[in-house]
Amino acid sequence: MALPRALSGGPNGPPQKFGPIRSTLILAQLLTLIGFLIILGGLSKLQKTANALTLAAGNAAGDSEAAAITLVYTDVFQSAGQVPYPNNPKHQFAFQWFILFLELIIFVGIAVLATFPATILRLKHALASILTYAFVLLTLTGQSVLYFHRNAAAKSVYGETPINVTLAGILIVLVANGVTLITLGLIGTGSDFQATHPGHPGSQHDYDVRSKQVAQDDTPAYTEVPSKV
């Protein structure tokens, strides 16, 4: 008896089901999205504060207080491992914005490809390499924000809440990225992601062979009926 097309996968290949590996990958992308939105909220507030800073204008006017603030500003960002922009503070968080939108691009790519198991199986090594690069950069960003979280001067200028919100979002995305990397490594080892080479359990080749066998078994045998003379 032939299997129903919905169960056998029909002419387009084996059935695409949401097994544990694929489900974990999708959940990791949802967690990434949540972390992204949290970072976006905190970083937007930090950027708004940075846009309002006028350190260079105060120095030009001979404001000794502004000059002192500029020295503290420069020291804080250098200690956090970032290049300070005392003459143009609105560009101070450019690196964080770059990392945030790099994460967004990777998130969208993996989330879309997760709906196409055969495609993500072929591209998993490239995706893992790009995500590892973003993971390292995001870790460095987290270290900088963690320094701001522990520095009284940074909290007095930018506010403790935006810094904490940004840090929480970064930690969530880091966890989600770690789960994604592990899941990408497991793709091809479970039945929910079919391999493409012969001999692998659940491979496309083996599926085609089984489909032909089912079709042959389902064909009625021909019985010759003797003709009457």
Side-chain angles (χ1 to χ4, degrees), residues 15-28 113-117 120 183 187 192-193:
Q16 308 297 344
K17 60 181 181 179
F18 286 88
I21 297 177
R22 192 176 174 194
S23 298
T24 303
L25 181 62
I26 293 175
L27 289 175
L113 291 176
T115 62
F116 302 97
I120 200 171
T183 307
I187 288 177
D192 47 330
F193 279 98

Side-chain angles (χ1 to χ4, degrees), residues 189-211:
T189 62
S191 60
D192 47 330
F193 279 98
Q194 305 295 338
T196 57
H197 56 277
H200 190 288
S203 68
Q204 180 69 46
H205 174 270
D206 294 343
Y207 168 81
D208 292 338
V209 172
R210 292 195 303 271
S211 297

Side-chain angles (χ1 to χ4, degrees), residues 175-193:
V175 171
N177 284 355
V179 174
T180 301
L181 285 171
I182 294 174
T183 307
L184 287 174
L186 293 175
I187 288 177
T189 62
S191 60
D192 47 330
F193 279 98

Side-chain angles (χ1 to χ4, degrees), residues 73-98:
Y73 176 94
T74 302
D75 178 69
V76 167
F77 281 97
Q78 285 180 338
S79 299
Q82 291 189 223
V83 177
Y85 288 88
N87 296 326
N88 209 344
K90 67 180 181 180
H91 297 312
Q92 189 59 65
F93 296 103
F95 180 71
Q96 281 79 5
W97 284 113
F98 167 75

Side-chain angles (χ1 to χ4, degrees), residues 126-177:
L127 292 172
S129 299
I130 297 173
L131 185 58
T132 301
Y133 170 71
F135 185 87
V136 173
L137 293 180
L138 187 61
T139 301
L140 295 177
T141 301
Q143 290 178 338
S144 297
V145 178
L146 181 61
Y147 179 82
F148 299 153
H149 169 72
R150 295 172 175 173
N151 186 273
K155 289 188 290 186
S156 66
V157 174
Y158 293 102
E160 186 173 0
T161 299
I163 292 175
N164 291 343
V165 169
T166 305
L167 181 60
I170 290 175
L171 293 176
I172 291 174
V173 175
L174 284 174
V175 171
N177 284 355

Side-chain angles (χ1 to χ4, degrees), residues 40-129:
L40 183 62
L43 189 57
S44 297
K45 180 61 177 176
L46 294 176
Q47 184 64 53
K48 183 178 179 180
T49 303
N51 292 341
L53 293 178
T54 55
L55 302 178
N59 290 333
D63 189 340
S64 59
E65 182 179 355
I69 293 176
T70 300
L71 292 176
V72 174
Y73 176 94
T74 302
D75 178 69
V76 167
F77 281 97
Q78 285 180 338
S79 299
Q82 291 189 223
V83 177
Y85 288 88
N87 296 326
N88 209 344
K90 67 180 181 180
H91 297 312
Q92 189 59 65
F93 296 103
F95 180 71
Q96 281 79 5
W97 284 113
F98 167 75
I99 299 301
L100 182 64
F101 283 100
L102 177 62
E103 282 285 345
L104 177 62
I105 293 172
I106 297 174
F107 154 71
V108 172
I110 295 179
V112 172
L113 291 176
T115 62
F116 302 97
T119 302
I120 200 171
L121 181 63
R122 292 193 295 268
L123 298 177
K124 71 171 189 174
H125 298 296
L127 292 172
S129 299

